[in-house]
Amino acid sequence: MYTARNGDAFLIDAGGTYLLIDAGFASTYQNFIATDLAQLAKGGGRLDLVVCTHIDADHIGGLLEFFSGNGTPAKRGIEVDAVWHNSLRSLPAPTAEPDGFHDRMVLEAIRRRGFPRAPISSPAPISARQGSSLAKLLREHGYTWNSGNGSTCISEGGALALSSDVRVQVIGPATARLEELRSRWLKEVRKLGYKGSSQPTDLIDDAYEMWCASAPAPAVPRANPIAANGSLRLEEVYTPDTSIANGSSITLIISKGNKRALFLGDAWAEDVAAKLRSLYTPTTPIIFDVIKVSHHGSRHNTSVDLLSVADSPCFLVSSDGTRHGHPDFEVLAEIVDRPAPFKRHLFFNYETAASKELESHTSKSGTAFSVHLAENDWIQLGEQL
């Protein structure tokens, strides 16, 4: 779990099968991930799957840096067998005439803005490649993208066997979430004077992804009831996320043998809970070996209902606390306050106000838990659990 500032970046070793899930900002890749991938390639390793969960700057920036410099099919820095990334060309588009001159100028204006840069406080800040979308890089550099050329989307129900005992199951997003994001994109560029039909082109790819990576999330009301004892429970403060970009996150169950990992990107709690119920019809919480908490521990993406469906002895929380105060303490407290027949271990890649508060917290159910700081080092499932 790399130190990705307020973003996500995970490298997974499933018994010699490697997955990279998001890569934070460009500086995350350059400062940390690049060295590990070079070492992996030197030893004959490869990336079996790279996943861009969704088009947010704190998830996609490092992947832009990686794919822009990983070479051509004739000479790769490290081989990549498959890439999952939902861009505009992954959704079917109506047949129409190509964009006219004015439409292209509107798209060019968006492209010139480029991708958002890493936070100023980031160590040795490095800007993402400004001129090319991830879609364009994948197509031009010949990667197997969404099982082909990127013209289909990765959505709930999909699956991929990476080896004889490693499988990746897609539990989200629903195609409707991706369609909602496209509709919002079209609505916003219409305001800028675009009248085209967003037929797949390099310019469309660039403008769409750059807009998605920098589009402001809709305001989510924050409930602030006054608690008599000064502490609030998650059920008192939870309000659902309404960001369509977050709702489009690719969410995964990665299994190896009898081990299962749940990676939630920035997904909506309601979508995840509903899908898990449809898959497992649980009467008690489904136990995963590890859960990557959605949206950096935001109280808008983890609900009491979701935690009643899924539990684990190991939770991963990726955030430095600089954006929106993630993680929210109410989420962390709700995780550890529930009764369980096992000890829970919560891993953070930064010390934050909420993680420090959790260290002095006592579980209301008496269930044991521990707090760990994991900075760019392997978390060995099963050893410390």
Side-chain angles (χ1 to χ4, degrees):
M1 180 166 60
Y2 292 102
T3 46
R5 305 304 297 175
N6 55 289
D8 274 4
F10 294 89
L11 181 62
I12 299 169
D13 174 6
T17 296
Y18 289 89
L19 301 86
L20 179 65
I21 301 180
D22 295 328
F25 293 96
S27 56
T28 311
Y29 173 74
Q30 291 285 16
N31 292 336
F32 306 112
I33 303 174
T35 302
D36 287 348
L37 296 188
Q39 183 178 356
L40 177 60
K42 186 177 180 180
R46 61 200 300 122
L47 288 172
D48 296 82
L49 177 64
V50 176
V51 179
C52 178
T53 60
H54 63 299
I55 309 170
D56 265 356
D58 55 341
H59 295 253
I60 197 174
L63 294 176
L64 292 165
E65 196 72 13
F66 168 53
F67 283 109
S68 65
N70 195 47
T72 64
K75 187 174 176 58
R76 299 277 197 218
I78 185 170
E79 293 296 332
V80 177
D81 291 337
V83 183
W84 284 356
H85 167 55
N86 287 327
S87 190
L88 196 62
R89 75 170 58 219
S90 303
L91 293 166
T95 302
E97 293 296 318
D99 289 341
F101 175 79
H102 177 74
D103 292 326
R104 292 196 298 273
M105 289 302 98
V106 172
L107 300 175
E108 278 288 359
I110 298 173
R111 178 158 68 176
R112 282 197 298 271
R113 287 197 317 222
F115 286 95
R117 296 176 181 271
I120 295 175
S121 58
S122 175
I126 301 169
S127 172
R129 306 284 172 151
Q130 295 297 307
S132 295
S133 61
L134 183 53
K136 182 179 178 181
L137 291 171
L138 296 176
R139 189 180 58 78
E140 288 188 341
H141 294 190
Y143 289 95
T144 300
W145 168 22
N146 292 6
S147 302
N149 62 1
S151 60
T152 59
C153 66
I154 299 298
S155 59
E156 61 180 358
L160 180 65
L162 298 180
S163 69
S164 59
D165 66 343
V166 178
R167 184 173 183 267
V168 184
Q169 181 180 6
V170 184
I171 64 170
T175 304
R177 290 282 179 255
L178 299 171
E179 295 282 4
E180 288 169 13
L181 183 57
R182 176 169 66 178
S183 295
R184 185 181 173 208
W185 140 260
L186 281 171
K187 180 179 178 180
E188 293 300 317
V189 293
R190 295 272 189 259
K191 295 177 183 178
L192 301 175
Y194 178 77
K195 294 180 172 57
S197 60
S198 66
Q199 293 295 300
T201 65
D202 287 343
L203 180 56
I204 281 284
D205 290 339
D206 292 350
Y208 175 73
E209 292 189 18
M210 290 170 187
W211 179 87
C212 287
S214 59
V220 179
R222 292 184 71 90
N224 291 302
I226 299 173
N229 61 358
S231 61
L232 296 170
R233 302 306 303 270
L234 180 59
E235 64 182 356
E236 298 175 283
V237 301
Y238 176 77
T239 50
D241 189 359
T242 57
S243 166
I244 299 173
N246 290 343
S248 73
S249 287
I250 296 175
T251 52
L252 307 168
I253 297 173
I254 304 165
S255 58
K256 182 185 187 302
N258 62 355
K259 300 289 185 183
R260 295 184 299 182
L262 179 63
F263 274 75
L264 296 179
D266 286 358
W268 294 359
E270 292 71 25
D271 286 357
V272 177
K275 187 60 181 179
L276 290 177
R277 283 194 172 100
S278 72
L279 288 173
Y280 296 99
T281 58
T283 55
T284 58
I286 308 157
I287 307 302
F288 294 91
D289 292 275
V290 60
I291 295 175
K292 200 293 289 188
V293 178
S294 180
H295 200 198
H296 322 292
S298 168
R299 66 188 191 182
H300 303 300
N301 298 78
T302 298
S303 64
V304 173
D305 181 56
L306 174 56
L307 292 176
S308 74
V309 177
D311 201 354
S312 176
C314 181
F315 287 83
L316 309 179
V317 183
S318 178
S319 178
D320 64 355
T322 58
R323 189 178 184 189
H324 307 305
H326 296 154
D328 288 309
F329 178 73
E330 296 90 349
V331 171
L332 306 181
E334 193 69 29
I335 289 172
V336 302
D337 281 348
R338 298 166 299 151
F342 47 77
K343 182 178 181 179
R344 295 189 184 92
H345 304 262
L346 282 78
F347 288 85
F348 301 84
N349 51 359
Y350 293 91
E351 186 177 70
T352 66
S355 72
K356 290 171 66 176
E357 185 176 355
L358 188 66
E359 291 177 348
S360 59
H361 181 71
T362 300
S363 168
K364 295 188 181 304
S365 68
T367 300
F369 71 91
S370 61
V371 176
H372 306 263
L373 186 62
E375 297 176 297
N376 305 310
D377 200 1
W378 290 102
I379 298 169
Q380 302 289 344
L381 291 183
E383 289 190 2
Q384 78 290 334
L385 308 184

